[in-house]
Amino acid sequence: MSLTRRHAAASLGSLPLALAAPGAATAATARRRTTVHLAGDSTAATKQPTAAPETGWGMALPFFLADDRFTVANHAVNGRSSKSFYDEGRLAPILAALRPGDLLLVQFGHNDEKIEDPARGTDPQTTYPQYLRLYLDGARERGAHPVLLTSVERRKFDAAGTAQPTHGAYPDAVRRLARAERVPLLDIQASSIALWQRLGPEVTQDYFNWLEPGESPNYPAGLQDNTHFQPHGAIEVARLVARELAARRVLRPRDLRRLDAAIPDSWITW
């Protein structure tokens, strides 16, 4: 869970004394928490300090969930597809940790699109949904609730300043699978491209990992990354995810918080 110490302390301070005190009450409160597991790629993953300010949206998701009800377990890993994540054995420990009532959010696609790489590439009509079904079936077998996400959109604009889709047939494959399997769909591709369109080409540079030379010691030559986020972008994508969780009735209003609040970038740590 990517909460900072400051955020965690504030959260504990807001609890009633009976719950914040050590002992049976605290243990009972912890047992009532639902774990939100996240399987995905670098757009969601927790980053190391050497990558800062690159930030995965999974690092910001806890800010929008009631922390007396939920814990976030971010299993997303840089560079993985639905196939390579599974083939490397990364799904197995998630399934082992799932408890009845937990959530499993599944967002792959960026690296599934790399069809030139046999370790990662999948076909949107065949192998992509086949691999995604392994996540859905595994969660349901354990009494947990799988949730499919379309891939967050990259930053790409045409000469007229219109945000362009970049994921080809993969988002539609997720949408079809969600309908066929009757699982909730968070259409983050649609909501994120709409957000980038509202913000426009210049403002979105501050959301993605665009850096001037010398701006960050980790990227002394600067960077123009249209896939990964700076803290502000990760926070806003996590906000989209939280809103979709509410809109699809995966979570109730009391399960969420801060949906319209400003979250300081400084609350993100690596």
Side-chain angles (χ1 to χ4, degrees):
M1 188 172 179
S2 302
L3 288 170
T4 64
R5 291 188 180 92
R6 175 183 172 191
H7 183 212
S11 300
L12 288 173
S14 68
L15 290 173
L17 290 178
L19 296 183
T26 301
T29 301
R31 284 196 299 271
R32 288 197 297 271
R33 288 186 180 178
T34 296
T35 300
V36 179
H37 294 268
L38 173 55
D41 54 38
S42 59
T43 60
T46 298
K47 306 300 178 177
Q48 298 300 314
T50 52
E54 183 179 318
T55 311
W57 64 258
M59 298 168 68
L61 186 59
F63 300 151
F64 299 101
L65 305 181
D67 57 6
D68 61 334
R69 297 175 181 275
F70 294 95
T71 298
V72 174
N74 189 355
H75 307 276
V77 181
N78 290 0
R80 271 52 179 193
S81 68
S82 64
K83 179 183 189 299
S84 63
F85 193 96
Y86 178 84
D87 289 348
E88 292 172 5
R90 297 180 182 275
L91 178 58
I94 300 176
L95 298 183
L98 285 175
R99 300 174 302 174
D102 282 349
L103 299 179
L104 175 58
L105 308 187
V106 183
Q107 184 215 249
F108 291 103
H110 280 79
N111 299 300
D112 289 80
E113 299 165 21
K114 298 175 181 179
I115 56 175
E116 72 284 356
D117 181 356
R120 296 188 290 178
T122 60
D123 182 275
Q125 308 303 324
T126 57
T127 50
Y128 184 46
Q130 287 168 10
Y131 271 99
L132 290 177
R133 279 193 179 92
L134 298 174
Y135 298 77
L136 307 184
D137 292 344
R140 289 186 292 207
E141 287 168 3
R142 288 155 181 81
H145 305 296
V147 179
L148 285 170
L149 287 70
T150 54
S151 295
V152 60
E153 194 50 84
R154 299 181 179 95
R155 178 187 175 275
K156 183 179 181 181
F157 291 87
D158 65 15
T162 301
Q164 300 294 298
T166 68
H167 293 301
Y170 289 84
D172 275 344
V174 179
R175 294 173 186 125
R176 288 194 303 271
L177 181 61
R179 289 194 296 269
E181 295 291 329
R182 297 184 178 180
V183 299
L185 172 71
L186 311 187
D187 200 345
I188 304 305
Q189 188 272 336
S191 59
S192 60
I193 198 171
L195 176 60
W196 309 149
Q197 182 63 55
R198 289 197 301 272
L199 295 171
E202 292 187 10
V203 173
T204 49
Q205 291 181 15
D206 295 331
Y207 286 63
F208 286 81
N209 206 18
W210 274 56
L211 302 167
E212 296 294 331
E215 185 176 351
S216 168
N218 288 333
Y219 307 94
L223 189 68
Q224 294 184 359
D225 183 344
N226 292 311
T227 298
H228 303 101
F229 307 108
Q230 293 195 53
H232 190 58
I235 289 167
E236 293 311 309
V237 174
R239 194 191 306 273
L240 294 177
V241 172
R243 285 177 171 160
E244 290 276 330
L245 286 168
R248 305 305 166 204
R249 298 183 180 179
V250 176
L251 298 181
R252 299 162 294 184
R254 67 177 183 175
D255 296 329
L256 300 163
R257 60 178 180 167
R258 293 197 179 102
L259 289 190
D260 296 316
I263 307 296
D265 289 359
S266 60
W267 278 30
I268 297 283
T269 57
W270 294 269

